[in-house]
Amino acid sequence: VQGSAVTCQWEATQIISSKSSRRRWWRSRARRGAMILLGIGLEVLATMVGTVGKQLLRYSKLIEGTSHESSSRTVLLVGVVLNILGGPVLEIAAYGQAPQTLLAPMSGLDVLWNVLLVPYTLGESPSPLQSFGCFLIVAGTALTADSGPHVERPYTIEVLRECLLTRSVLTYLAVEVALVALGALYMRRRPRGDRRRGFVLGCVAGTIGGNLFCMKAVASLISTAWEG
Protein backbone atom coordinates (compact mmCIF):
# COMPACT_ATOMS: atom_id res chain seq x y z
CA VAL A 1 0.00 0.00 0.00
CA GLN A 2 2.79 2.37 0.91
CA GLY A 3 4.52 1.63 -2.42
CA SER A 4 1.33 2.38 -4.34
CA ALA A 5 0.93 5.69 -2.51
CA VAL A 6 4.50 6.70 -3.33
CA THR A 7 3.95 5.77 -6.98
CA CYS A 8 0.74 7.80 -7.19
CA GLN A 9 2.46 10.77 -5.55
CA TRP A 10 5.34 10.55 -8.03
CA GLU A 11 2.93 10.37 -10.98
CA ALA A 12 1.01 13.38 -9.68
CA THR A 13 4.26 15.31 -9.32
CA GLN A 14 5.22 14.46 -12.91
CA ILE A 15 1.82 15.58 -14.22
CA ILE A 16 2.05 18.90 -12.36
CA SER A 17 5.62 19.41 -13.58
CA SER A 18 4.57 18.64 -17.16
CA LYS A 19 1.68 21.12 -17.00
CA SER A 20 3.97 23.77 -15.53
CA SER A 21 6.51 23.20 -18.33
CA ARG A 22 3.81 23.53 -20.97
CA ARG A 23 2.61 26.79 -19.42
CA ARG A 24 6.14 28.19 -19.44
CA TRP A 25 6.55 27.08 -23.05
CA TRP A 26 3.34 28.80 -24.16
CA ARG A 27 4.21 31.93 -22.20
CA SER A 28 7.63 32.00 -23.86
CA ARG A 29 6.08 31.64 -27.32
CA ALA A 30 3.50 34.34 -26.59
CA ARG A 31 6.20 36.69 -25.32
CA ARG A 32 8.37 35.99 -28.37
CA GLY A 33 5.43 36.62 -30.69
CA ALA A 34 4.67 39.93 -28.96
CA MET A 35 8.32 40.97 -29.30
CA ILE A 36 8.30 40.18 -33.03
CA LEU A 37 5.10 42.19 -33.56
CA LEU A 38 6.60 45.09 -31.59
CA GLY A 39 9.76 44.93 -33.71
CA ILE A 40 7.75 44.97 -36.94
CA GLY A 41 5.71 47.94 -35.72
CA LEU A 42 8.84 49.87 -34.74
CA GLU A 43 10.48 49.12 -38.11
CA VAL A 44 7.42 50.32 -40.04
CA LEU A 45 7.32 53.45 -37.88
CA ALA A 46 11.04 53.99 -38.53
CA THR A 47 10.48 53.89 -42.30
CA MET A 48 7.61 56.38 -41.95
CA VAL A 49 9.75 58.75 -39.88
CA GLY A 50 12.52 58.44 -42.47
CA THR A 51 10.05 59.24 -45.23
CA VAL A 52 8.88 62.37 -43.42
CA GLY A 53 12.50 63.44 -42.94
CA LYS A 54 13.38 62.91 -46.62
CA GLN A 55 10.32 64.81 -47.79
CA LEU A 56 11.15 67.69 -45.46
CA LEU A 57 14.64 67.82 -46.98
CA ARG A 58 13.08 67.97 -50.43
CA TYR A 59 10.56 70.60 -49.32
CA SER A 60 13.31 72.81 -47.86
CA LYS A 61 14.91 72.86 -51.30
CA LEU A 62 11.64 73.60 -53.09
CA ILE A 63 10.83 76.67 -50.98
CA GLU A 64 14.21 78.30 -51.58
CA GLY A 65 13.69 81.52 -53.48
CA THR A 66 10.00 81.75 -52.54
CA SER A 67 8.06 83.69 -49.92
CA HIS A 68 8.59 80.80 -47.48
CA GLU A 69 12.38 80.86 -47.78
CA SER A 70 12.76 82.06 -44.18
CA SER A 71 11.53 78.69 -42.90
CA SER A 72 13.75 76.70 -45.27
CA ARG A 73 16.56 76.20 -42.75
CA THR A 74 14.14 75.16 -40.00
CA VAL A 75 12.54 72.57 -42.27
CA LEU A 76 15.99 71.39 -43.33
CA LEU A 77 17.09 71.00 -39.70
CA VAL A 78 13.98 69.01 -38.76
CA GLY A 79 14.46 66.76 -41.79
CA VAL A 80 18.10 66.11 -40.91
CA VAL A 81 17.25 65.31 -37.27
CA LEU A 82 14.53 62.85 -38.31
CA ASN A 83 16.88 61.10 -40.74
CA ILE A 84 19.90 60.99 -38.41
CA LEU A 85 18.19 60.36 -35.06
CA GLY A 86 14.49 59.55 -35.42
CA GLY A 87 14.56 56.69 -37.91
CA PRO A 88 17.82 55.04 -36.74
CA VAL A 89 16.81 55.07 -33.06
CA LEU A 90 13.52 53.34 -33.89
CA GLU A 91 15.37 50.86 -36.11
CA ILE A 92 17.77 49.94 -33.31
CA ALA A 93 14.80 49.39 -30.99
CA ALA A 94 13.11 47.23 -33.64
CA TYR A 95 16.18 45.07 -34.23
CA GLY A 96 16.38 44.42 -30.51
CA GLN A 97 12.96 42.75 -30.63
CA ALA A 98 12.67 40.82 -33.91
CA PRO A 99 14.92 38.74 -36.20
CA GLN A 100 17.09 40.61 -38.69
CA THR A 101 15.88 38.44 -41.59
CA LEU A 102 12.34 39.61 -40.93
CA LEU A 103 13.08 43.32 -40.51
CA ALA A 104 15.84 43.97 -43.05
CA PRO A 105 13.57 43.76 -46.14
CA MET A 106 11.17 46.25 -44.56
CA SER A 107 13.76 49.02 -44.73
CA GLY A 108 12.68 49.48 -48.35
CA LEU A 109 9.17 50.48 -47.31
CA ASP A 110 10.18 54.15 -47.19
CA VAL A 111 10.20 54.03 -51.00
CA LEU A 112 6.56 52.92 -50.91
CA TRP A 113 5.57 55.67 -48.48
CA ASN A 114 7.34 58.25 -50.65
CA VAL A 115 5.56 57.16 -53.82
CA LEU A 116 2.18 57.10 -52.08
CA LEU A 117 2.54 60.44 -50.26
CA VAL A 118 4.57 62.65 -52.57
CA PRO A 119 1.62 63.62 -54.84
CA TYR A 120 -0.21 65.03 -51.79
CA THR A 121 2.72 66.45 -49.79
CA LEU A 122 5.01 67.87 -52.48
CA GLY A 123 2.72 67.90 -55.51
CA GLU A 124 5.04 65.63 -57.52
CA SER A 125 3.78 62.65 -59.52
CA PRO A 126 5.92 59.49 -59.74
CA SER A 127 6.62 58.18 -63.22
CA PRO A 128 5.28 54.78 -64.36
CA LEU A 129 8.82 53.41 -64.13
CA GLN A 130 9.13 54.61 -60.52
CA SER A 131 5.75 53.08 -59.66
CA PHE A 132 6.82 49.76 -61.18
CA GLY A 133 10.08 49.88 -59.22
CA CYS A 134 8.08 50.53 -56.05
CA PHE A 135 5.93 47.48 -56.82
CA LEU A 136 9.05 45.32 -57.20
CA ILE A 137 10.39 46.55 -53.85
CA VAL A 138 7.13 45.82 -52.04
CA ALA A 139 6.84 42.37 -53.65
CA GLY A 140 10.44 41.54 -52.77
CA THR A 141 9.90 42.74 -49.21
CA ALA A 142 6.83 40.54 -48.77
CA LEU A 143 8.45 37.44 -50.29
CA THR A 144 11.68 37.81 -48.33
CA ALA A 145 9.90 38.42 -45.03
CA ASP A 146 7.61 35.44 -45.61
CA SER A 147 10.17 32.92 -46.80
CA GLY A 148 13.14 33.93 -44.66
CA PRO A 149 13.93 32.34 -41.27
CA HIS A 150 12.02 33.90 -38.39
CA VAL A 151 14.13 32.35 -35.61
CA GLU A 152 17.76 33.14 -34.91
CA ARG A 153 20.20 32.23 -32.20
CA PRO A 154 20.81 34.80 -29.48
CA TYR A 155 23.58 37.33 -30.08
CA THR A 156 25.84 36.65 -27.11
CA ILE A 157 29.46 37.73 -26.75
CA GLU A 158 30.59 34.22 -27.70
CA VAL A 159 28.43 34.22 -30.85
CA LEU A 160 29.75 37.63 -31.90
CA ARG A 161 33.34 36.54 -31.42
CA GLU A 162 32.66 33.43 -33.47
CA CYS A 163 31.06 35.45 -36.27
CA LEU A 164 33.28 38.54 -36.37
CA LEU A 165 36.77 37.40 -35.43
CA THR A 166 37.34 35.41 -38.60
CA ARG A 167 39.62 35.94 -41.57
CA SER A 168 36.72 36.33 -44.01
CA VAL A 169 34.98 39.01 -41.94
CA LEU A 170 38.19 40.96 -41.35
CA THR A 171 38.96 40.80 -45.08
CA TYR A 172 35.47 42.03 -45.88
CA LEU A 173 35.83 44.96 -43.47
CA ALA A 174 39.21 45.92 -44.93
CA VAL A 175 37.83 45.88 -48.49
CA GLU A 176 34.78 47.87 -47.44
CA VAL A 177 36.85 50.54 -45.70
CA ALA A 178 39.07 50.80 -48.79
CA LEU A 179 36.06 51.19 -51.11
CA VAL A 180 34.47 53.83 -48.89
CA ALA A 181 37.75 55.76 -48.80
CA LEU A 182 38.06 55.59 -52.60
CA GLY A 183 34.44 56.72 -52.97
CA ALA A 184 35.01 59.68 -50.64
CA LEU A 185 38.16 60.64 -52.56
CA TYR A 186 36.29 60.45 -55.87
CA MET A 187 33.43 62.62 -54.58
CA ARG A 188 35.85 65.31 -53.45
CA ARG A 189 37.13 65.60 -57.01
CA ARG A 190 33.71 65.88 -58.64
CA PRO A 191 31.52 69.02 -58.54
CA ARG A 192 28.20 69.05 -56.74
CA GLY A 193 25.29 68.14 -58.95
CA ASP A 194 27.41 65.76 -61.02
CA ARG A 195 25.53 62.53 -61.74
CA ARG A 196 28.56 60.32 -61.29
CA ARG A 197 29.23 61.94 -57.94
CA GLY A 198 25.64 61.27 -56.92
CA PHE A 199 25.90 57.64 -58.00
CA VAL A 200 29.08 57.11 -55.98
CA LEU A 201 27.52 58.89 -53.02
CA GLY A 202 24.58 56.48 -53.13
CA CYS A 203 26.94 53.50 -53.32
CA VAL A 204 28.96 54.70 -50.33
CA ALA A 205 25.84 55.42 -48.29
CA GLY A 206 24.39 52.01 -49.15
CA THR A 207 27.65 50.30 -48.25
CA ILE A 208 27.71 51.92 -44.83
CA GLY A 209 23.98 51.67 -44.13
CA GLY A 210 23.71 48.12 -45.41
CA ASN A 211 25.70 46.61 -42.55
CA LEU A 212 22.59 45.61 -40.64
CA PHE A 213 24.33 42.76 -38.82
CA CYS A 214 26.31 45.22 -36.72
CA MET A 215 23.15 47.14 -35.81
CA LYS A 216 21.32 43.90 -35.00
CA ALA A 217 24.17 42.73 -32.78
CA VAL A 218 24.33 46.02 -30.88
CA ALA A 219 20.54 46.17 -30.49
CA SER A 220 20.41 42.57 -29.22
CA LEU A 221 23.16 43.20 -26.67
CA ILE A 222 21.37 46.34 -25.43
CA SER A 223 18.07 44.46 -25.20
CA THR A 224 19.70 41.59 -23.29
CA ALA A 225 21.43 43.99 -20.89
CA TRP A 226 18.18 45.88 -20.35
CA GLU A 227 16.32 42.68 -19.46
CA GLY A 228 19.04 41.87 -16.94
Side-chain angles (χ1 to χ4, degrees), residues 61 64 76 186-199 201:
K61 184 65 176 179
E64 288 183 358
L76 176 64
Y186 179 84
M187 287 186 292
R188 290 187 61 183
R189 298 184 176 182
R190 304 294 298 187
R192 290 189 176 184
D194 182 71
R195 289 191 175 184
R196 294 182 179 178
R197 183 181 187 274
F199 175 77
L201 176 60

mmCIF file of all heavy atoms in Angstrom, residues 61 64 76 186-199 201:
data_model
loop_
_atom_site.group_PDB
_atom_site.id
_atom_site.type_symbol
_atom_site.label_atom_id
_atom_site.label_comp_id
_atom_site.label_asym_id
_atom_site.label_seq_id
_atom_site.Cartn_x
_atom_site.Cartn_y
_atom_site.Cartn_z
ATOM 1 N N LYS A 61 14.293 72.436 -50.045
ATOM 2 C CA LYS A 61 14.912 72.856 -51.305
ATOM 3 C C LYS A 61 13.895 73.534 -52.215
ATOM 4 O O LYS A 61 14.223 74.504 -52.901
ATOM 5 C CB LYS A 61 15.517 71.631 -52.003
ATOM 6 C CG LYS A 61 16.281 71.954 -53.283
ATOM 7 C CD LYS A 61 17.505 72.777 -53.004
ATOM 8 C CE LYS A 61 18.315 73.025 -54.275
ATOM 9 N NZ LYS A 61 19.525 73.855 -54.019
ATOM 10 N N GLU A 64 13.143 77.308 -51.424
ATOM 11 C CA GLU A 64 14.212 78.300 -51.577
ATOM 12 C C GLU A 64 13.860 79.254 -52.716
ATOM 13 O O GLU A 64 13.449 78.838 -53.792
ATOM 14 C CB GLU A 64 15.543 77.614 -51.870
ATOM 15 C CG GLU A 64 16.135 76.892 -50.680
ATOM 16 C CD GLU A 64 17.497 76.299 -51.008
ATOM 17 O OE1 GLU A 64 17.926 76.428 -52.178
ATOM 18 O OE2 GLU A 64 18.123 75.706 -50.116
ATOM 19 N N LEU A 76 14.802 72.194 -43.057
ATOM 20 C CA LEU A 76 15.989 71.387 -43.334
ATOM 21 C C LEU A 76 16.522 70.744 -42.058
ATOM 22 O O LEU A 76 16.870 69.556 -42.043
ATOM 23 C CB LEU A 76 17.065 72.256 -43.975
ATOM 24 C CG LEU A 76 18.418 71.580 -44.254
ATOM 25 C CD1 LEU A 76 18.259 70.457 -45.277
ATOM 26 C CD2 LEU A 76 19.437 72.612 -44.749
ATOM 27 N N TYR A 186 36.867 60.147 -54.558
ATOM 28 C CA TYR A 186 36.294 60.454 -55.872
ATOM 29 C C TYR A 186 35.271 61.589 -55.779
ATOM 30 O O TYR A 186 35.249 62.490 -56.629
ATOM 31 C CB TYR A 186 35.626 59.197 -56.446
ATOM 32 C CG TYR A 186 34.986 59.410 -57.795
ATOM 33 C CD1 TYR A 186 35.743 59.331 -58.961
ATOM 34 C CD2 TYR A 186 33.621 59.691 -57.903
ATOM 35 C CE1 TYR A 186 35.163 59.530 -60.201
ATOM 36 C CE2 TYR A 186 33.034 59.890 -59.136
ATOM 37 C CZ TYR A 186 33.806 59.800 -60.284
ATOM 38 O OH TYR A 186 33.222 60.005 -61.515
ATOM 39 N N MET A 187 34.452 61.570 -54.723
ATOM 40 C CA MET A 187 33.430 62.620 -54.580
ATOM 41 C C MET A 187 34.054 63.985 -54.348
ATOM 42 O O MET A 187 33.499 65.012 -54.763
ATOM 43 C CB MET A 187 32.481 62.257 -53.427
ATOM 44 C CG MET A 187 31.525 61.123 -53.763
ATOM 45 S SD MET A 187 30.310 60.826 -52.460
ATOM 46 C CE MET A 187 31.354 60.201 -51.140
ATOM 47 N N ARG A 188 35.198 64.026 -53.684
ATOM 48 C CA ARG A 188 35.852 65.308 -53.447
ATOM 49 C C ARG A 188 36.339 65.936 -54.740
ATOM 50 O O ARG A 188 36.469 67.161 -54.849
ATOM 51 C CB ARG A 188 37.031 65.123 -52.489
ATOM 52 C CG ARG A 188 36.630 64.799 -51.050
ATOM 53 C CD ARG A 188 37.823 64.796 -50.136
ATOM 54 N NE ARG A 188 38.483 66.098 -50.108
ATOM 55 C CZ ARG A 188 39.595 66.369 -49.437
ATOM 56 N NH1 ARG A 188 40.173 65.397 -48.722
ATOM 57 N NH2 ARG A 188 40.126 67.562 -49.459
ATOM 58 N N ARG A 189 36.606 65.096 -55.742
ATOM 59 C CA ARG A 189 37.129 65.601 -57.012
ATOM 60 C C ARG A 189 36.049 65.931 -58.034
ATOM 61 O O ARG A 189 36.368 66.429 -59.108
ATOM 62 C CB ARG A 189 38.099 64.574 -57.609
ATOM 63 C CG ARG A 189 39.320 64.311 -56.739
ATOM 64 C CD ARG A 189 40.282 63.368 -57.425
ATOM 65 N NE ARG A 189 41.505 63.184 -56.654
ATOM 66 C CZ ARG A 189 42.533 62.443 -57.042
ATOM 67 N NH1 ARG A 189 42.474 61.799 -58.212
ATOM 68 N NH2 ARG A 189 43.615 62.334 -56.290
ATOM 69 N N ARG A 190 34.799 65.611 -57.712
ATOM 70 C CA ARG A 190 33.709 65.880 -58.641
ATOM 71 C C ARG A 190 32.866 67.039 -58.120
ATOM 72 O O ARG A 190 32.672 67.186 -56.908
ATOM 73 C CB ARG A 190 32.822 64.648 -58.815
ATOM 74 C CG ARG A 190 33.557 63.397 -59.253
ATOM 75 C CD ARG A 190 34.139 63.517 -60.648
ATOM 76 N NE ARG A 190 33.111 63.717 -61.660
ATOM 77 C CZ ARG A 190 33.354 63.723 -62.960
ATOM 78 N NH1 ARG A 190 34.602 63.566 -63.401
ATOM 79 N NH2 ARG A 190 32.389 63.906 -63.828
ATOM 80 N N PRO A 191 32.339 67.892 -58.999
ATOM 81 C CA PRO A 191 31.519 69.020 -58.541
ATOM 82 C C PRO A 191 30.154 68.559 -58.047
ATOM 83 O O PRO A 191 29.654 67.512 -58.442
ATOM 84 C CB PRO A 191 31.391 69.882 -59.811
ATOM 85 C CG PRO A 191 31.503 68.904 -60.936
ATOM 86 C CD PRO A 191 32.490 67.870 -60.461
ATOM 87 N N ARG A 192 29.539 69.359 -57.212
ATOM 88 C CA ARG A 192 28.204 69.047 -56.736
ATOM 89 C C ARG A 192 27.205 69.123 -57.887
ATOM 90 O O ARG A 192 27.294 70.003 -58.742
ATOM 91 C CB ARG A 192 27.783 70.015 -55.636
ATOM 92 C CG ARG A 192 28.554 69.826 -54.340
ATOM 93 C CD ARG A 192 27.943 70.656 -53.231
ATOM 94 N NE ARG A 192 28.614 70.415 -51.962
ATOM 95 C CZ ARG A 192 28.234 70.960 -50.806
ATOM 96 N NH1 ARG A 192 27.192 71.780 -50.783
ATOM 97 N NH2 ARG A 192 28.898 70.693 -49.711
ATOM 98 N N GLY A 193 26.260 68.214 -57.871
ATOM 99 C CA GLY A 193 25.293 68.142 -58.949
ATOM 100 C C GLY A 193 25.698 67.187 -60.053
ATOM 101 O O GLY A 193 24.889 66.875 -60.935
ATOM 102 N N ASP A 194 26.944 66.714 -60.019
ATOM 103 C CA ASP A 194 27.411 65.759 -61.019
ATOM 104 C C ASP A 194 26.745 64.405 -60.788
ATOM 105 O O ASP A 194 26.677 63.915 -59.661
ATOM 106 C CB ASP A 194 28.937 65.623 -60.927
ATOM 107 C CG ASP A 194 29.474 64.665 -61.978
ATOM 108 O OD1 ASP A 194 29.468 65.012 -63.161
ATOM 109 O OD2 ASP A 194 29.891 63.557 -61.588
ATOM 110 N N ARG A 195 26.260 63.794 -61.878
ATOM 111 C CA ARG A 195 25.527 62.529 -61.738
ATOM 112 C C ARG A 195 26.430 61.399 -61.251
ATOM 113 O O ARG A 195 26.017 60.556 -60.453
ATOM 114 C CB ARG A 195 24.877 62.148 -63.066
ATOM 115 C CG ARG A 195 23.694 63.041 -63.441
ATOM 116 C CD ARG A 195 22.936 62.457 -64.602
ATOM 117 N NE ARG A 195 21.733 63.230 -64.888
ATOM 118 C CZ ARG A 195 20.839 62.890 -65.803
ATOM 119 N NH1 ARG A 195 21.026 61.793 -66.547
ATOM 120 N NH2 ARG A 195 19.766 63.628 -65.993
ATOM 121 N N ARG A 196 27.648 61.372 -61.732
ATOM 122 C CA ARG A 196 28.561 60.323 -61.291
ATOM 123 C C ARG A 196 28.869 60.459 -59.805
ATOM 124 O O ARG A 196 28.976 59.466 -59.081
ATOM 125 C CB ARG A 196 29.846 60.367 -62.113
ATOM 126 C CG ARG A 196 29.640 60.013 -63.585
ATOM 127 C CD ARG A 196 30.957 60.036 -64.334
ATOM 128 N NE ARG A 196 30.777 59.670 -65.741
ATOM 129 C CZ ARG A 196 31.750 59.636 -66.629
ATOM 130 N NH1 ARG A 196 32.999 59.946 -66.250
ATOM 131 N NH2 ARG A 196 31.504 59.293 -67.876
ATOM 132 N N ARG A 197 28.997 61.701 -59.365
ATOM 133 C CA ARG A 197 29.235 61.937 -57.937
ATOM 134 C C ARG A 197 28.037 61.454 -57.116
ATOM 135 O O ARG A 197 28.196 60.827 -56.057
ATOM 136 C CB ARG A 197 29.476 63.420 -57.674
ATOM 137 C CG ARG A 197 29.795 63.752 -56.218
ATOM 138 C CD ARG A 197 30.005 65.256 -56.045
ATOM 139 N NE ARG A 197 30.460 65.579 -54.712
ATOM 140 C CZ ARG A 197 29.655 65.775 -53.667
ATOM 141 N NH1 ARG A 197 28.345 65.659 -53.834
ATOM 142 N NH2 ARG A 197 30.149 66.077 -52.476
ATOM 143 N N GLY A 198 26.836 61.726 -57.606
ATOM 144 C CA GLY A 198 25.643 61.272 -56.916
ATOM 145 C C GLY A 198 25.537 59.759 -56.870
ATOM 146 O O GLY A 198 25.121 59.184 -55.858
ATOM 147 N N PHE A 199 25.934 59.106 -57.971
ATOM 148 C CA PHE A 199 25.903 57.641 -58.002
ATOM 149 C C PHE A 199 26.870 57.049 -56.983
ATOM 150 O O PHE A 199 26.521 56.123 -56.236
ATOM 151 C CB PHE A 199 26.243 57.149 -59.405
ATOM 152 C CG PHE A 199 26.354 55.653 -59.519
ATOM 153 C CD1 PHE A 199 25.220 54.868 -59.565
ATOM 154 C CD2 PHE A 199 27.602 55.042 -59.566
ATOM 155 C CE1 PHE A 199 25.319 53.484 -59.652
ATOM 156 C CE2 PHE A 199 27.710 53.662 -59.656
ATOM 157 C CZ PHE A 199 26.563 52.880 -59.695
ATOM 158 N N LEU A 201 28.025 58.554 -54.342
ATOM 159 C CA LEU A 201 27.515 58.894 -53.015
ATOM 160 C C LEU A 201 26.471 57.871 -52.560
ATOM 161 O O LEU A 201 26.479 57.418 -51.402
ATOM 162 C CB LEU A 201 26.910 60.291 -53.027
ATOM 163 C CG LEU A 201 26.250 60.763 -51.721
ATOM 164 C CD1 LEU A 201 27.257 60.783 -50.582
ATOM 165 C CD2 LEU A 201 25.619 62.132 -51.912
#
